[in-house]
Amino acid sequence: MKIKINNHEFVLHQSGAAFWEEKKILLISDLHLGKIVHFRKHGMAIPEKAVLENFARLNEVLGLFDAETIIFLGDLFHSKINNEWNFFSDWTKTVSQQIILVEGNHDIISKKNYADLNIEIYEELIIDDFLLTHHPTTRENFFNFCGHIHPGIKLKGLGRQFLSLSCFFRKPQQLIFPSFGEFTGNFYLIPEENDKVYALTKEEVIEITLH
């Protein structure tokens, strides 16, 4: 799905990533690498191959767009370094794009580790009239791209049927990105009058008609 914000074109992908056409930037939030290894360490029955799923999805979405830069909107790694850092380090060596991290609350790994991988880190980033942060932020004269919340939407069907989907959640001056990572969960938001919801399905992103 393609949307326009402040006269810029953005392609929303069902993975939860968005491609900023004019800037050739791929925007991704809340990957939470290392979380699967953390779960497995504490006895949760998650297949080992699930660790590689995030990287497969990253490669898939990178193959769709001619991005020159990847910007992660925080919570790139879930917590302390574990074995998944080695997979991430190897992955960074396979991509040609510049990688930038806008720090999130889970990003506690030493900046030196990221510097060793040529990853730039910022507390926030301003590009034209767009403010890129991890936590949702309101600032006059800027449109905010952010993550952190892992937005989802619950749709009511016939009877007592409900469908729960991750989504891009758009407010008049803000777009909250869904979590890109596996096993991260959702926080279900209730749209207000001027909000828009772009829900993720397996095949596409669809705008939900709000009543």
Side-chain angles (χ1 to χ4, degrees), residues 3-49:
I3 63 173
K4 182 174 283 191
I5 304 173
N6 293 356
N7 295 317
H8 287 250
E9 301 276 355
F10 297 88
V11 180
L12 307 183
H13 187 259
Q14 59 265 27
S15 65
F19 181 59
W20 189 345
E21 291 191 334
E22 287 82 359
K23 303 292 185 182
K24 295 188 180 296
I25 293 174
L26 187 67
L27 297 161
I28 294 171
S29 190
D30 294 275
L31 190 51
H32 287 273
L33 294 175
K35 190 168 189 176
I36 294 171
V37 169
H38 177 78
F39 281 166
R40 284 175 53 82
K41 184 179 178 181
H42 288 81
M44 292 188 68
I46 300 174
E48 188 172 0
K49 66 179 181 179

Side-chain angles (χ1 to χ4, degrees), residues 71-74 100-104 107 122-124 132-134:
I71 299 180
F72 292 104
L73 297 173
I100 294 173
L101 170 62
V102 177
E103 281 185 295
D107 293 310
Y122 300 90
E123 291 184 4
E124 63 178 41
L132 282 58
T133 61
H134 176 62

